[in-house]
Amino acid sequence: MLHVNAVSKTFLGGQPVHALREVSLQVAAGETVALVGPSGSGKTTLLRLIACHLTPDSGDLTVDGQRVPRPSTAAGAAFRRRMVGVLLQDLGLIEMDTALANVMLPLRLAGVGRRDAARRAHLQLQKRGLDHRSDAPVNTLSGGQRQRVALARALVCEPPLVLADEPTSNLDADQASQAVSDLLAQAREHRAVLIATHDPEVWTRCDRVLHLDDGRITPHG
Amino acid sequence: MSALVFALGTGLKDAWRVGARGVLAAVHVAVAALLLGLSAGLAVQSAADLAAAQRLVEARAVSFVVGNPPAQDADVTQLRAAVAGVLAGERGCAVIRSGNGDVLVFGASAASEIASRGGYLDPWWGFTPTPAGSLSPRSPASVAQLDTVAFVDLAARMVLLDPTPDALRSYLQALRQVTDAEPRLVADKIRWDFRSEYQGRVAFLTVFALGMLTTLSTTLSAFSHLLRSNKRGVIVAWALGASPLQVGARWVGFIAAVWSLPALALSFLGLQLVSGGYYAPVVLPWVATVITALTLAGAWWGSRWALADVALESLREQEV
């Protein structure tokens, strides 16, 4: 499903930062993979490259046989809508919008009509036990509820690949456990799931763990 | 298309959501637009007045200072002939302010050309911006039907363009048969009256321009805060698959809501205030063009700025 082949990325600035150095990995459909490593090891950069938020300096990335396009193009936008569901580290919810409006957003951007988008978004919220809060502004929801709204939004377009960046960082133990279960359940629907995390409760439940250190994949110690 | 409309609508909604900052920016935009509108209107009006005055000077226009009103039974036969001669003359014209309102008598192409500039020089009251809609062109035939008092009033207020000495002598002679009258070069009147008028307008415009600059700088500062408030929503939408076009549309909606709509509305109001409605339709398309260009430039710049930050944020967070 996901193929990353010798991908490198350097951020140029006052001091160039070599975020990734020839990283290669593969994630199969139905597989859950944890990406672990210290802060600054390149986890978020790798997820952003796969999610078509950044362009690699070199190397290839493909998702479901489709090469990841340049982010600033229309093809890049279409890729982000159809191929990947992203759970951002800070969730990236529109705070003053309702839960339903947040989940509808990717569908509306894809040109789905309001009524159909609302029906599909409602279904996603219902799956996560949030249908009773669908009209509540996101800033009135608890941390766990917000996390579930963000996951509903990531999945509403039914992407083949799900990316999650530190999905449990702001949750208590119970909420974290529920969130991880919800994420891992996506593999049963034949999706590939890649999770960047520091949390042992997360990576011990994944099928495979990849360790990233100083921009390189290293054997997990 | 529906996705584009959605993106545009989301931009409007974003503007609404930014709340107090949005209101603050809108107030600044409104004040700046009002000042801009007033300044633009006044500047255009002044330019038109100057052009009209210049034409009268170049045409060696002559007006009359009149003393007593005519007797009811005065014989105006000769005066009627003189007025008819002026109106029929190829180079003569009359620009008149009558007791019943502004009246323009078309006597020749020169008169209509002056009138088309939107204002005329009233030799008694200085420069008078004249809304074109309020002018009532009169034909020589309708002038001939005026009663004696109205006719003499009209004849005394005529301005002769480029008259020959004989034509001026003949006209003055006819006028003096019914009332006291002295000829004056309109150019003198302009020199006497316009200096103070001109200085007043320059001072007025300077104060307005300074106020506008101050307000504009505050507006831009408020606008910058607004962009920052809205940036996150745009980045999230982009990350979820908004196309470059949709991101641009979202910014257009946002910027139009906090910038263009109040600016357009208040520019129009400002122009109406200054020109009595005449110049608004003339200048407004230019104002609208500038604002549209600003909106599009803002949208483009905002999009690039917001999206470029996606990469920078990675560095800032040191979560590379």
Side-chain angles (χ1 to χ4, degrees):
Chain A
M1 175 64 66
L2 169 65
H3 292 264
V4 177
N5 183 30
V7 164
S8 297
K9 179 71 182 176
T10 299
F11 291 104
L12 299 174
Q15 181 92 26
V17 178
H18 300 289
L20 293 175
R21 303 165 197 259
E22 300 204 340
V23 168
S24 297
L25 63 92
Q26 295 187 5
V27 182
E31 188 182 21
T32 55
V33 174
L35 199 57
V36 301
S39 289
S41 60
K43 301 188 298 292
T44 297
T45 300
L46 181 57
L47 291 190
R48 285 184 169 174
L49 286 168
I50 298 168
C52 191
H53 293 177
L54 297 172
T55 310
D57 297 332
S58 60
D60 296 318
L61 300 108
T62 59
V63 175
D64 205 13
Q66 183 182 336
R67 190 170 180 171
V68 178
R70 291 183 68 81
S72 57
T73 61
F79 178 90
R80 288 192 291 275
R81 284 197 299 268
R82 293 182 196 135
M83 304 304 287
V84 288
V86 182
L87 201 58
L88 299 168
Q89 190 169 3
D90 63 354
L91 303 181
L93 296 169
I94 309 293
E95 294 292 328
M96 294 176 77
D97 257 348
T98 64
L100 186 68
N102 269 277
V103 181
M104 282 171 67
L105 183 59
L107 293 167
R108 297 289 281 139
L109 290 171
V112 176
R114 177 179 290 277
R115 191 172 294 178
D116 194 25
R119 184 184 58 74
R120 288 167 63 179
H122 214 273
L123 202 62
Q124 282 294 334
L125 289 170
Q126 199 174 25
K127 280 185 186 174
R128 284 161 189 84
L130 278 173
D131 45 333
H132 66 295
R133 301 304 312 271
S134 63
D135 291 329
V138 162
N139 58 9
T140 65
L141 301 180
S142 70
Q145 288 172 327
R146 290 160 57 84
Q147 223 273 355
R148 280 181 278 162
V149 171
L151 184 60
R153 190 180 66 182
L155 298 173
V156 74
C157 288
E158 301 180 355
L161 173 64
V162 178
L163 305 172
D165 195 357
E166 302 289 358
T168 59
S169 58
N170 296 314
L171 303 178
D172 63 33
D174 286 344
Q175 288 173 334
S177 175
Q178 176 62 44
V180 174
S181 298
D182 209 356
L183 258 176
L184 299 183
Q186 300 311 311
R188 289 199 294 273
E189 297 184 23
H190 214 58
R191 292 191 174 103
V193 180
L194 181 60
I195 307 171
T197 183
H198 286 101
D199 187 352
E201 294 298 321
V202 178
W203 52 261
T204 52
R205 293 171 65 182
C206 290
D207 298 332
R208 197 149 53 94
V209 178
L210 295 172
H211 194 262
L212 199 60
D213 192 8
D214 195 25
R216 292 189 179 89
I217 298 278
T218 59
H220 184 221
Chain B
M1 179 53 80
S2 66
L4 259 188
V5 171
F6 167 71
L8 201 63
T10 309
L12 291 167
K13 203 161 109 183
D14 286 348
W16 176 255
R17 271 200 295 241
V18 292
R21 279 179 176 171
V23 172
L24 187 67
V27 167
H28 278 100
V29 167
V31 174
L34 185 63
L35 293 175
L36 179 70
L38 286 169
S39 303
L42 200 63
V44 171
Q45 185 69 64
S46 297
D49 289 347
L50 278 173
Q54 184 63 28
R55 282 168 183 277
L56 288 171
V57 172
E58 285 170 1
R60 299 189 300 136
V62 176
S63 63
F64 301 92
V65 178
V66 181
N68 300 319
Q72 280 288 353
D73 57 349
D75 180 7
V76 291
T77 311
Q78 194 180 342
L79 186 58
R80 282 187 187 278
V83 168
V86 168
L87 295 179
E90 276 301 305
R91 304 188 65 192
C93 82
V95 184
I96 298 158
R97 184 185 178 89
S98 80
N100 298 323
D102 297 318
V103 177
L104 184 75
V105 180
F106 289 92
S109 57
S112 60
E113 191 178 339
I114 287 172
S116 74
R117 300 287 164 164
Y120 68 88
L121 180 80
D122 182 319
W124 289 268
W125 299 104
F127 293 98
T128 306
T130 308
S134 68
L135 288 174
S136 312
R138 285 194 177 174
S139 64
S142 71
V143 171
Q145 288 167 6
L146 294 173
D147 65 32
T148 300
V149 174
F151 180 78
V152 172
D153 178 63
L154 181 146
R157 291 169 184 273
M158 289 188 76
V159 176
L160 307 187
L161 292 183
D162 208 9
T164 62
D166 284 346
L168 180 59
R169 192 179 304 114
S170 156
Y171 192 86
L172 190 60
Q173 212 169 29
L175 197 57
R176 279 178 173 168
Q177 283 184 351
V178 291
T179 184
D180 303 333
E182 290 297 331
R184 292 278 186 273
L185 271 175
V186 170
D188 289 341
K189 175 74 176 171
I190 290 170
R191 285 189 199 100
W192 294 333
D193 286 1
F194 193 63
R195 186 173 293 118
S196 59
E197 172 92 15
Y198 179 77
Q199 287 168 345
R201 288 194 193 194
V202 168
F204 190 61
L205 274 173
T206 306
V207 170
F208 258 65
L210 288 174
M212 192 169 65
L213 283 176
T214 309
T215 312
L216 209 59
S217 67
T218 317
T219 306
L220 289 173
S221 164
F223 198 55
S224 166
H225 282 299
L226 273 178
L227 289 176
R228 282 177 204 286
S229 303
N230 194 41
K231 185 180 70 174
R232 185 181 151 79
V234 173
I235 291 175
V236 168
W238 180 83
L240 292 173
S243 67
L245 203 58
Q246 287 172 327
V247 170
R250 189 181 176 124
W251 279 105
V252 165
F254 177 74
I255 293 169
V258 298
W259 180 274
S260 304
L261 297 182
L264 261 185
L266 283 139
S267 294
F268 186 77
L269 179 66
L271 290 165
Q272 290 283 346
L273 281 175
V274 165
S275 70
Y278 178 68
Y279 280 111
V282 178
V283 180
L284 200 63
W286 291 101
V287 175
T289 303
V290 169
I291 289 171
T292 304
L294 276 175
T295 302
L296 292 176
W300 180 84
W301 175 75
S303 304
R304 304 302 301 175
W305 170 69
L307 298 183
D309 244 34
V310 174
L312 289 176
E313 274 177 11
S314 296
L315 276 176
R316 282 200 204 102
E317 295 162 9
Q318 288 300 300
E319 187 61 32
V320 294

